[in-house]
Amino acid sequence: MESPLVFALILFTTFATATSMQKIHASENPLPVGSNVTLSCQDNVTIGAWLFDNDIIVLIFPGNTIIANNWIDKVSFNSTFSSLTISSVQLEDSGLWTLLAINSFRAQLTLSVQVPISGVTLRANATNLVEFNDTAVLTCSVLNGSSLSYVWLNGSSVVTAGGGVQLSDGGATLTMVRVTHYDEGPFRCNVSNGLSHESSLPVYLNVSYGPSNTMMGIMPMRSTYITGSNITLSCSADSSPPAMIQWMVDGVYLNHFGPHLQLETVAESNSGNYQCVFHNTVTLRFSSKSAMIRIMEPIAAVVVNHTDNGDYQCQAFNSVSNMTSSPYTVNVNYGPMKPVIAGQSMALTGTLETLNCSSASHPPSHISWYYNGSLVASTSNLVIGPLTLNMSGKYICMAFNNITGKNSTAYTMLTILNSLGYVYVEAPTNPAREGYSYKLTCNETGTVKHVYWMKNGEPLREDNTTVFSSDNKTVTFNPLKHNDTGHYQCVAINALWNLTSPPYMLLVNFGPKTPMIHGPAFAETGQYAVFHCSAMSMPPSQFSWWFNGSNVANSSVFTTDVLSLNMSGEITCMAYNNVTGKNVTKSKMLTVIEAIGSVMIRSNTVPINTENFTLTCDVTGPYDTMYWMKDNMHLNMTHSVAEPHMSYHIENNSLHFTPVTLHNEGTYQCVATNQAGPHKSPKYMLLVNYGPLSVKISLPYLTKHDLYVSLTCSADSRPDCDFHWFLNDESSAAVHMGSVITFLATNRGNYTCKATNPVTNITMYKTKDFTVAAHASALRFPSQAGLLMMGLFALSVPVLFN
Ligand SMILES: *[C@@H]1O[C@H](CO)[C@@H](O)[C@H](O)[C@H]1NC(C)=O
Ligand SMILES: *[C@@H]1O[C@H](CO)[C@@H](O)[C@H](O)[C@H]1NC(C)=O
Ligand SMILES: *[C@@H]1O[C@H](CO)[C@@H](O)[C@H](O)[C@H]1NC(C)=O
Ligand SMILES: *[C@@H]1O[C@H](CO)[C@@H](O)[C@H](O)[C@H]1NC(C)=O
Ligand SMILES: *[C@@H]1O[C@H](CO)[C@@H](O)[C@H](O)[C@H]1NC(C)=O
Ligand SMILES: *[C@@H]1O[C@H](CO)[C@@H](O)[C@H](O)[C@H]1NC(C)=O
Ligand SMILES: *[C@@H]1O[C@H](CO)[C@@H](O)[C@H](O)[C@H]1NC(C)=O
Ligand SMILES: *[C@@H]1O[C@H](CO)[C@@H](O)[C@H](O)[C@H]1NC(C)=O
Ligand SMILES: *[C@@H]1O[C@H](CO)[C@@H](O)[C@H](O)[C@H]1NC(C)=O
Ligand SMILES: *[C@@H]1O[C@H](CO)[C@@H](O)[C@H](O)[C@H]1NC(C)=O
Ligand SMILES: *[C@@H]1O[C@H](CO)[C@@H](O)[C@H](O)[C@H]1NC(C)=O
Ligand SMILES: *[C@@H]1O[C@H](CO)[C@@H](O)[C@H](O)[C@H]1NC(C)=O
């Protein structure tokens, strides 16, 4: 083998630079340790060699091959295709294999023999981490394998170095500095070589984070809430582990934890800045979120003002869209406001005058004009004329809004002046007030020689407060007195004519003077007291009342409540004149005293003529004095000379008659008086019982035909007497009771009447002797037949009495 080897060396040194490149094909590459591989080439080699990393493995020359001794067991050469088969390859067989064909080509292949990968494991030095604080170190270990390359996966994403991520140990270690919560995994390492690959089991990192992205939801969402609403506040945050939530209002912790806070039936005082405070007990971080909750009472009353006119639209929106309604036009009906009249206040005879009335109103008001109480126009323009002097006066405009139903009036004074020349009294526009200076001017046209003044039809005289100017055209009242009120005229005279101005009514505003209070100084409990206040004033004053410091009425009359003893006090009336701006007060004391309840006359006995009799006056409640009245006249304490027939005396509250007689009869009252006034008792009618004083028996005129006789007994007595009749014998039983006795005319005898007064118990008698002078026989027929016969006789029957 010496010679071919030498030969080959020569070959290599001589022809090492082959011309063209061919490819070597491996039956498998890369390939696992222990497997067989055949390297071949397309072209046949007749002279050449197989080399491995510049070591000759096989020498090829025509008809023979030589295999290096140390490779003889490991390779075989097939000359048919110049292929080389390596059996049971080892890692060290990796390298550059070359097939050299002398003077032809050189082909090469890098063979890679590898150990298949197995036993890939992944380990983290810590799995519970805090976001932004902690560093995670992941280590990938491989039990078997060669030529390892590492790919790191977080979920399905490949982890690359950069930022806080570092790969070291040839990619076997992944270091994540300051982990974020996106670094939770699952992490895998995928280890590969050309031959095989294997992934580790996943590793999860538990990265605690937050709280962050805090949110507060409010249901329902309003800018402002009506009282009584229920509101739910909900807080959330990104946090692991979940954050603990505590609530605060206006910086004060509530004893309330958890994501929801319910506000039920809220009041205005629940308004405030609501805050939820988040705390992650692992990251030890805090965060918060707040919202302002405004709560308002609903509006209790609203007034629509015509400034609210306009087009109204409502807009609804949510987080993704909004929409606006079409406009709705609001026209507030109002008015009429007080009309404004445009026009002259003076005009000349013969001309036309236009007055225009306008009033702010919606819808527009209907305008009417009135003059002297009559409707003169129903338009806003009133055209008057041609003017005559008697068209002066008050023109009233009334505006009426038929929707609001309201009306409003205004007037203007129009003075018509004679166009030939005119004169009128001009006065300041401010009201005339007593005590101030006031000036009337005589305004006239034409050439006037002289002017003089009239008041109430009489010439006005100058005095120390009424002064004329040198040309008489003005009269100045300084100061104005309230009796300067009156009708003023000025008269302008020249050679051709004289003109008298229309009367100018000067009304002097004055007062109020000190008011007068009419009302009681004393009043009784249980009553009302009524007070009237009056004060001289122009215009009339307005009145207000104060009772013990409180305003109690705003009219001229003040009626108290039902009085009680503690209501004594000071009553003040204030009169106020809104033109002079003055007010004057007057006070009066009211003393409430205990009421006299009742006053009654009582008598315990019946008044009997010539007997003693007493009337007693019973009064309930305290009183100051008491006196008696008879027939509306005061009864003197002692027996009056004017009434000589009366004998009485008054003692305490009793009126004693000693004795009572018919002269005492009359109407009696007793009167109890306190500071509030007299209280009269009801009338007591005193009628004295007496008699009988005399008894009479009478009978009507009788004819002889009368069959019956009636006797009537009467007595002067009070009360009426009881009457009893006796026939002939007073000691026998009475034959009749009552004032009239009727008997047959034949029953002659002595008829006695007994009259007894049931009260005085006095009795008197009277007797009549009754006889019939003639025709006693005829009167003996006590039958019906007899009565008929009596008619036939028709005789007169004289009756005798004594
Ligand atoms: C490799 O070749 C040898 C003999 O040349 C044979 O015994 C062996 O089974 C082969 N191995 C494989 C994996 O084919
Ligand atoms: C060489 O290769 C050819 C073609 O594949 C084959 O027929 C022959 O048997 C091989 N020779 C040896 C000694 O293996
Ligand atoms: C390659 O060359 C060898 C020896 O020179 C020869 O035996 C063989 O048949 C050739 N093969 C081909 C395919 O021509
Ligand atoms: C994990 O490794 C990192 C980097 O070496 C180190 O900072 C950290 O403290 C380690 N963690 C633990 C729990 O050992
Ligand atoms: C609020 O809640 C209370 C109690 O649950 C309920 O009585 C009330 O009607 C609610 N108010 C509103 C406006 O829903
Ligand atoms: C995180 O780091 C900050 C700043 O270095 C430190 O104040 C805080 O205590 C750390 N948090 C934890 C949970 O260690
Ligand atoms: C209407 O509104 C105007 C402007 O806001 C105000 O000046 C006026 O007083 C209001 N009138 C009434 C009656 O409320
Ligand atoms: C309503 O939507 C329009 C367009 O979508 C936008 O321009 C407008 O600002 C929105 N208005 C409100 C109040 O959100
Ligand atoms: C108000 O007056 C107008 C104009 O005269 C009339 O058309 C309308 O019907 C009236 N409305 C009412 C409610 O009377
Ligand atoms: C105008 O208003 C007054 C007071 O409200 C009312 O008494 C009167 O009848 C009204 N007149 C008309 C014409 O409506
Ligand atoms: C008189 O009236 C006329 C017309 O109104 C006016 O111009 C003039 O000033 C008045 N004169 C006086 C003295 O007031
Ligand atoms: C005005 O005259 C009256 C008498 O005519 C006199 O009593 C009074 O004091 C006078 N007043 C002044 C301010 O001169």
Side-chain angles (χ1 to χ4, degrees), residues 564-581:
S564 56
L565 285 175
N566 63 1
M567 285 167 74
S568 294
E570 189 180 50
I571 290 164
T572 302
C573 163
M574 185 180 86
Y576 171 66
N577 179 326
N578 65 0
V579 173
T580 64

Side-chain angles (χ1 to χ4, degrees), residues 36-48:
N36 299 342
V37 64
T38 300
L39 308 179
S40 57
C41 185
Q42 286 168 331
D43 290 332
N44 205 347
V45 176
T46 48
I47 303 173

Side-chain angles (χ1 to χ4, degrees), residues 516-739:
M516 305 249 292
I517 299 178
H518 296 277
F522 293 91
E524 292 185 343
T525 55
Q527 305 286 315
Y528 302 92
V530 180
F531 297 89
H532 295 261
C533 191
S534 58
M536 283 176 52
S537 171
M538 178 56 67
S541 284
Q542 294 153 10
F543 295 97
S544 313
W545 292 90
W546 280 265
F547 188 20
N548 287 336
S550 309
N551 177 226
V552 288
N554 289 313
S555 61
S556 62
V557 180
F558 162 51
T559 303
T560 64
D561 290 338
V562 174
L563 294 169
S564 56
L565 285 175
N566 63 1
M567 285 167 74
S568 294
E570 189 180 50
I571 290 164
T572 302
C573 163
M574 185 180 86
Y576 171 66
N577 179 326
N578 65 0
V579 173
T580 64
K582 288 182 186 161
N583 64 53
V584 185
T585 61
K586 173 84 176 181
S587 296
K588 182 180 173 96
M589 288 306 296
L590 171 67
T591 305
V592 180
I593 58 171
E594 204 177 312
I596 291 176
S598 71
V599 183
M600 298 293 293
I601 294 178
R602 162 174 67 84
S603 65
N604 292 332
T605 58
V606 180
I608 295 173
N609 195 26
T610 72
E611 289 182 16
N612 286 352
F613 178 68
T614 298
L615 289 179
T616 304
C617 185
D618 286 339
V619 181
T620 58
Y623 61 95
D624 299 334
T625 59
M626 204 210 77
Y627 61 89
W628 289 86
M629 291 176 74
K630 181 191 179 205
D631 297 332
N632 290 325
M633 302 284 285
H634 196 289
L635 205 58
N636 283 337
M637 276 299 279
T638 52
H639 182 203
S640 160
V641 256
E643 299 170 271
H645 306 292
M646 288 180 69
S647 92
Y648 65 84
H649 66 270
I650 293 167
E651 190 183 291
N652 297 333
N653 57 344
S654 293
L655 174 59
H656 299 283
F657 297 94
T658 52
V660 72
T661 67
L662 295 181
H663 296 291
N664 298 125
E665 288 196 340
T667 302
Y668 286 82
Q669 282 174 287
C670 69
V671 183
T673 303
N674 61 12
Q675 285 165 303
H679 289 253
K680 287 186 183 175
S681 70
K683 286 180 176 168
Y684 177 90
M685 192 70 187
L686 176 58
L687 289 174
V688 178
N689 298 292
Y690 65 90
L693 299 180
S694 63
V695 181
K696 283 197 299 187
I697 295 176
S698 60
L699 89 169
Y701 178 74
L702 284 177
T703 67
K704 56 186 162 189
H705 310 298
D706 286 336
L707 202 51
Y708 288 93
V709 175
S710 287
L711 300 181
T712 302
C713 188
S714 61
D716 180 9
S717 162
R718 182 182 298 127
D720 287 343
C721 284
D722 299 331
F723 295 101
H724 291 86
W725 292 90
F726 299 90
L727 181 56
N728 299 329
D729 181 3
E730 284 159 28
S731 61
S732 64
V735 294
H736 182 71
M737 282 168 65
S739 59

Side-chain angles (χ1 to χ4, degrees), residues 228 230 264-265:
N230 294 334
E264 281 190 359
T265 324

